[in-house]
Amino acid sequence: MERLFKLNQLGTDVKTEVLAGFTTFLTMAYIVVVNPAILSAAGVPFDQVFVATVISAVIGTLIMALFSNYPIAIAPGMGMNAYFTSVVVTQGVSYQVVFGAVLLAGLIFLLLTFTKLRELLIESIPAPLKYGITAGIGFFIAFIGLKMSGIVVDNPDTLVALGDFREPNTVLSIIGLFISLILTTRKVKGALFIGMFITAVIGYFTGMLHLDGFASAPPAPVFFDLDLAGVFSNGLFGVVFAFLLVTIFDTTGTMIGVAEQAGLMKNGKLPRAKSALAADAVATVAGASLGTTPSSAYVESSAGVAAGGRSGLTSLVVAILFLITLFFSPLVAAISSLSAITAPSLIIVGSYMIEGLAKVKWQEFDEAFPAFLVVLSMPLTSSIATGIAVGFITYPILKIVKGKGREVHPILYVFCIIFLIQLIFFPAH
């Protein structure tokens, strides 16, 4: 074990790595509940999403452990699941078609991993847009959480309004939110997971949560027919690009951040980067085939690093723990059916994702406004793709007006034209 994961060389031991693996798993275990809860709203069978979530997490995290030797966990990313549901609802296509878009994005990502185009794409997109995209997704999923909880409701006159705080689901959501906030503020490890557990216990004793069992044989994984042709016939190219772009930035940024924290970066570069990025891409392809959204490196891996994790043994432990959850599908299904349990996690995770806005140069209008427009449009249009599009259109235009057109990478002008054509002639409805 020590030789396989180079524990001595990395200054760690088996006990520390196992503890770090448990820490990482507890901080991100909420995805096993939240992901099926969100995607089932798009008509995807619960058991299918549950199994796909676990298997894609196991595959990606195992590749990360055994081929990259990094303490970084992989699982279906937050934000993309809410976006998936919104595409099914707003564009009137089946979830099989959107999974086709996910598979296509995963295959492209896998190809880009072994070329220089990935680095070119990352380098060409300016920092304000990167920060804006991440923050916009944060606001988007927080808004989803507010609606799931009943704190915010639809209103025909004002679009949204404050909900009824006497509704049992809303009351439990607020209680769960404050429990999770207190635990998070106190920096309790696994705060979101523990918060969900306490909320579930309250829901059970108040008659809101109904359990038909705790454990059972794992549901059988199902490979279903993806509708790749539907991606082209419905013109979902913007959706494919959104899945691809967000996955690339989210994964790369998280890997670099966690590796930096663990002291694993070498001269500003990430060793074994290709195998690390391949873990994410392979997990996305496998997940799309089984029934879940794109996978990503999880920033919660930093909790395991803080606990001493330095090698792939940490990731191996996370993968094993995810595998064990397959035997608790009745419990997960029951928890997912009560939105008050999962909604607080969406709201809090959303707040984590807006940190990058502090790095935007707000005093420089040509830098600030495109980022602002991305953040504003994602939750208001319920579309991550639209948010990306308006950012890619406004940024180069404002730079030209400012006389800084040469500072913009040529590929950004190409994207600007593509997105203009899409929004004018192929708008999402």
Side-chain angles (χ1 to χ4, degrees):
M1 190 71 73
E2 290 189 1
R3 293 177 64 182
L4 176 62
F5 295 106
K6 302 178 181 178
L7 301 185
N8 290 332
Q9 183 179 331
L10 293 169
T12 184
D13 54 53
V14 173
K15 180 181 177 181
T16 300
E17 295 293 302
V18 171
L19 176 62
F22 270 89
T23 302
T24 295
F25 175 76
L26 285 175
T27 58
M28 63 182 289
Y30 65 87
I31 192 62
V32 177
V33 178
V34 174
N35 203 43
I38 293 176
L39 292 188
S40 58
V44 191
F46 174 87
D47 281 350
Q48 188 169 328
V49 183
F50 172 65
V51 172
T53 300
V54 172
I55 291 181
S56 60
V58 170
I59 290 174
T61 306
L62 276 179
I63 293 174
M64 183 69 72
L66 301 177
F67 293 94
S68 298
N69 198 26
Y70 285 133
I72 300 173
I74 302 289
M78 286 297 296
M80 290 291 93
N81 40 25
Y83 175 53
F84 181 99
T85 302
S86 72
V87 171
V88 172
V89 173
T90 60
Q91 301 204 24
V93 295
S94 67
Y95 66 80
Q96 289 90 343
V97 172
V98 189
F99 275 132
V102 175
L103 178 63
L104 195 55
L107 291 172
I108 295 172
F109 185 32
L110 189 57
L111 291 174
L112 289 177
T113 298
F114 300 103
T115 69
K116 292 292 184 181
L117 289 176
R118 180 183 57 82
E119 286 85 353
L120 176 64
L121 189 60
I122 293 171
E123 292 169 3
S124 68
I125 300 177
L129 293 185
K130 293 177 184 176
Y131 300 139
I133 289 169
T134 303
I137 295 172
F139 280 109
F140 181 34
I141 64 173
F143 183 58
I144 296 291
L146 289 170
K147 292 189 71 174
M148 286 173 59
S149 66
I151 296 174
V152 169
V153 296
D154 294 328
N155 184 290
D157 298 319
T158 60
L159 297 183
V160 293
L162 194 64
D164 185 354
F165 282 17
R166 294 169 297 181
E167 286 288 330
N169 187 70
T170 305
V171 172
L172 183 58
S173 296
I174 294 172
I175 292 172
L177 178 60
F178 274 97
I179 289 171
S180 297
L181 286 173
I182 291 168
L183 293 171
T184 303
T185 302
R186 297 293 300 174
K187 297 184 178 180
V188 175
K189 292 177 181 177
L192 296 183
F193 182 81
I194 296 171
M196 289 172 61
F197 175 77
I198 296 174
T199 307
V201 171
I202 296 173
Y204 179 76
F205 284 107
T206 55
M208 297 175 67
L209 178 63
H210 305 283
L211 293 176
D212 295 324
F214 285 91
S216 69
V222 177
F223 288 93
F224 60 98
D225 294 328
L226 295 169
D227 192 353
L228 276 173
V231 177
F232 297 94
S233 62
N234 288 282
L236 299 184
F237 307 112
V239 174
V240 173
F241 186 71
F243 280 133
L244 176 63
L245 199 62
V246 173
T247 303
I248 287 176
F249 290 145
D250 193 21
T251 295
T252 307
T254 299
M255 284 185 186
I256 291 173
V258 175
E260 187 72 50
Q261 177 192 1
L264 301 173
M265 297 288 284
K266 305 295 182 184
N267 300 318
K269 295 184 178 181
L270 183 67
R272 304 179 300 283
K274 287 186 177 180
S275 58
L277 287 164
D280 196 1
V282 172
T284 295
V285 171
S289 303
L290 290 168
T292 189
T293 42
S295 294
S296 175
Y298 261 61
V299 71
E300 284 84 354
S301 302
S302 61
V305 170
R310 293 294 181 272
S311 78
L313 180 54
T314 293
S315 302
L316 178 62
V317 172
V318 174
I320 292 171
L321 292 174
F322 265 115
L323 201 58
I324 292 172
T325 63
L326 279 176
F327 295 89
F328 295 92
S329 60
L331 178 62
V332 174
I335 292 173
S336 298
S337 68
L338 182 57
S339 60
I341 299 173
T342 53
S345 295
L346 294 179
I347 297 169
I348 294 173
V349 170
S351 73
Y352 289 157
M353 300 179 72
I354 67 170
E355 178 185 359
L357 291 180
K359 301 175 183 178
V360 176
K361 299 176 182 177
W362 293 105
Q363 68 279 12
E364 297 183 21
F365 189 76
D366 56 316
E367 293 273 316
F369 188 76
F372 164 75
L373 206 55
V374 170
V375 172
L376 184 68
S377 58
M378 283 189 185
L380 292 184
T381 63
S382 295
S383 173
I384 291 173
T386 299
I388 292 173
V390 296
F392 275 62
I393 291 169
T394 54
Y395 187 87
I397 291 175
L398 292 184
K399 284 296 182 181
I400 291 173
V401 173
K402 190 74 180 288
K404 297 181 179 179
R406 291 186 178 180
E407 295 180 6
V408 179
H409 196 286
I411 199 171
L412 214 63
Y413 289 112
V414 175
F415 285 136
C416 176
I417 295 170
I418 291 173
F419 281 127
L420 270 173
I421 293 172
Q422 180 202 337
L423 290 182
I424 295 171
F425 298 103
F426 307 101
H429 297 290

